[in-house]
Amino acid sequence: MDVENTKIENVVEKINLLYKLSQERELTIEEKELQGRLRKRYIDNVKRNFRVQLEEIELKNEKKEWYILGVSVKKLIDDLNLEVLVEGQDDVEISVNDINRPGLQLAGFYNYFAPDRIQVIGKAEWSFLDFMQIELRKKRVKKYFSFDINCLIITRGLEPHPEFIKEAEKHKIWFLRSNLVTTQFISKTTVYLADKLAPETRLHGVLVDVSGIGILITGESGIGKSEVALELIKRGHRLVTDDAVDIREIDGQLIGTSPKITIGMLEVRGIGIIDVTTLYGLSSVVQQKEIKLVMHFEHWKDDNDYDRLGIDNEYMNILGIDVKKLTVPIRPGRNIAVIIEAAAVNYRYALMSKITPVDVIENRMNDLNGI
């Protein structure tokens, strides 16, 4: 990053030098003002181009298309309202969306044990330990804590056995407590982790809710995605996000949301950024939507064999999930908003009916031919 900043400074220095030399000869006030504006605009463009190139390089160097975030134990404590019995290491994160109840481990069975999961002790495990002889319990608890556990949570507000406190302090492992019933706590935590640990990616495009169907509109910059989204909003449909779409995969569903900075904002070339909620009301924007269909815009190509019957099955893979994709050729005179509305309704029809329009035409032809 320092090297790139140095490059920017060198270019700016050269521009300033040329500007200074031009100022030494006698110019009119209008010429000087014009040169000053051009100089500022050129410097801004140089800086912007360098930043764009840096972002492209960083994206190319990124080996993974998507990533999984971890949840720090401290955030887990705050979000789930947990009581801290023993503090562990600060940098511990939960990266697995699974929970383990260590009944078998406390009985001495460690095959297929997953210490990277959140460990939850409920009434059953607590009662099992309570009836165990003290020496045996010490031995079992010591063996249990010899594994690299992220955190241990005891539910129902139960008072932990002293061996747990001792070993947790010794190994600096987070030991937490919840007042919830075990099954309720596990259900709540599972939903929480599914949301926080969902694989994520960010795609360039526009996400809209058309007749209840989440449609991701993709295509090169300037092809008219935002303008079509604006037309759809005017027709009563809803915007999720413009330009950047944050997508998470949760239980096989692709949930699209907007970056916080651009929620409710739409960029229209020639006008600028408009606040959709202010102009069209709060109901014109929805916070998130499941992506059901991808519509890819491309400039019309006469030599391209576009699907005219609706029988081609093309898909776009997002976070390991295939989403049906329609390629829409763009040229003057086509009402793209109407086409998207028709695609959304047709998608809903396809979900409810096993008969396609092609089948209907074929049946009519058979009737005419007496077949």
Side-chain angles (χ1 to χ4, degrees):
M1 186 62 72
D2 293 337
V3 175
E4 300 300 335
N5 288 334
T6 303
K7 290 182 181 179
I8 295 175
E9 292 174 359
N10 290 339
V11 174
V12 172
E13 185 178 350
K14 290 180 181 179
I15 295 172
N16 288 334
L17 179 60
L18 292 174
Y19 177 73
K20 183 178 180 181
L21 291 174
S22 65
Q23 290 291 84
E24 290 178 356
R25 65 186 184 85
E26 192 169 343
L27 299 173
T28 64
I29 296 176
E30 290 78 13
E31 286 177 329
K32 290 181 179 179
E33 290 178 352
L34 178 61
Q35 279 199 356
R37 290 197 299 270
L38 292 175
R39 166 176 164 268
K40 183 179 183 304
R41 182 180 299 177
Y42 188 75
I43 291 175
D44 291 340
N45 287 337
V46 169
K47 291 181 177 179
R48 189 181 301 112
N49 290 335
F50 267 112
R51 293 192 184 99
V52 170
Q53 291 174 11
L54 280 175
E55 291 174 358
E56 291 177 351
I57 291 172
E58 289 174 359
L59 287 174
K60 289 179 180 178
N61 290 337
E62 184 67 33
K63 295 182 179 179
K64 293 184 178 179
E65 179 195 1
W66 51 273
Y67 54 92
I68 299 177
L69 297 176
V71 179
S72 67
V73 175
K74 288 187 175 181
K75 182 170 179 56
L76 186 77
I77 294 169
D78 293 337
D79 293 345
L80 299 182
N81 193 26
L82 301 174
E83 177 187 357
V84 178
L85 301 177
V86 177
E87 289 190 13
Q89 299 179 4
D90 293 336
D91 58 348
V92 177
E93 287 192 344
I94 308 298
S95 58
V96 179
N97 182 19
D98 287 300
I99 292 174
N100 181 64
R101 296 187 68 171
L104 288 174
Q105 286 73 50
L106 295 173
F109 185 80
Y110 282 90
N111 289 0
Y112 310 108
F113 175 45
D116 54 342
R117 299 180 180 180
I118 292 180
Q119 308 292 312
V120 175
I121 291 181
K123 184 69 173 179
E125 293 82 7
W126 185 91
S127 300
F128 175 68
L129 290 166
D130 202 46
F131 279 97
M132 191 179 293
Q133 294 181 357
I134 296 178
E135 291 302 320
L136 179 59
R137 185 169 65 209
K138 288 181 180 180
K139 180 180 177 180
R140 295 282 173 81
V141 173
K142 184 176 181 180
K143 174 72 179 296
Y144 176 64
F145 275 94
S146 65
F147 290 85
D148 189 15
I149 300 171
N150 287 325
C151 73
L152 175 65
I153 303 173
I154 188 168
T155 59
R156 289 179 171 266
L158 296 168
E159 189 66 31
H161 295 88
E163 294 83 4
F164 278 89
I165 300 293
K166 180 182 177 181
E167 292 297 328
E169 291 176 344
K170 178 182 177 181
H171 294 276
K172 293 184 179 180
I173 293 175
W174 288 96
F175 191 16
L176 313 171
R177 180 162 57 191
S178 171
N179 291 323
L180 295 177
V181 176
T182 310
T183 52
Q184 183 181 358
F185 174 78
I186 290 177
S187 176
K188 180 179 179 180
T189 306
T190 301
V191 173
Y192 172 83
L193 292 177
D195 177 67
K196 296 297 181 182
L197 300 180
E200 291 188 21
T201 189
R202 175 173 289 182
L203 298 180
H204 173 66
V206 177
L207 181 58
V208 288
D209 177 4
V210 181
S211 300
I213 305 298
I215 298 180
L216 174 63
I217 304 172
T218 62
E220 63 182 66
S221 297
I223 201 168
K225 300 185 295 296
S226 299
E227 289 78 0
V228 170
L230 183 61
E231 176 65 23
L232 289 170
I233 293 169
K234 288 178 60 181
R235 299 169 76 95
H237 305 291
R238 299 187 293 177
L239 172 72
V240 181
T241 179
D242 175 51
D243 193 47
V245 185
D246 289 339
I247 304 174
R248 292 180 299 163
E249 184 271 313
I250 302 176
D251 294 334
Q253 296 181 336
L254 296 175
I255 307 299
T257 58
S258 171
K260 291 184 179 180
I261 298 176
T262 58
I263 293 177
M265 299 297 174
L266 187 69
E267 180 186 357
V268 180
R269 294 174 186 269
I271 298 179
I273 299 175
I274 63 175
D275 189 340
V276 175
T277 54
T278 300
L279 298 181
Y280 299 98
L282 293 174
S283 61
S284 61
V285 175
V286 61
Q287 290 187 350
Q288 64 180 30
K289 190 67 183 178
E290 181 183 357
I291 299 174
K292 291 288 190 179
L293 189 64
V294 175
M295 301 194 71
H296 180 71
F297 290 179
E298 67 173 40
H299 294 289
W300 186 288
K301 301 174 184 176
D302 292 332
D303 58 346
N304 201 337
D305 186 20
Y306 295 107
D307 184 15
R308 301 180 64 181
L309 298 177
I311 59 177
D312 294 346
N313 290 320
E314 187 178 2
Y315 297 92
M316 178 177 180
N317 190 278
I318 304 175
L319 298 175
I321 297 177
D322 289 332
V323 183
K324 186 173 179 58
K325 177 182 176 183
L326 302 176
T327 300
V328 181
I330 305 296
R331 71 175 180 182
R334 301 200 81 195
N335 192 329
I336 306 301
V338 172
I339 293 175
I340 293 179
E341 286 181 327
V345 176
N346 189 57
Y347 178 85
R348 294 179 63 180
Y349 170 77
L351 293 178
M352 297 181 290
S353 176
K354 295 182 179 180
I355 301 177
T356 66
V358 176
D359 295 330
V360 174
I361 294 176
E362 186 177 355
N363 292 336
R364 291 175 180 174
M365 292 176 64
N366 291 336
D367 291 339
L368 291 174
N369 295 325
I371 299 177

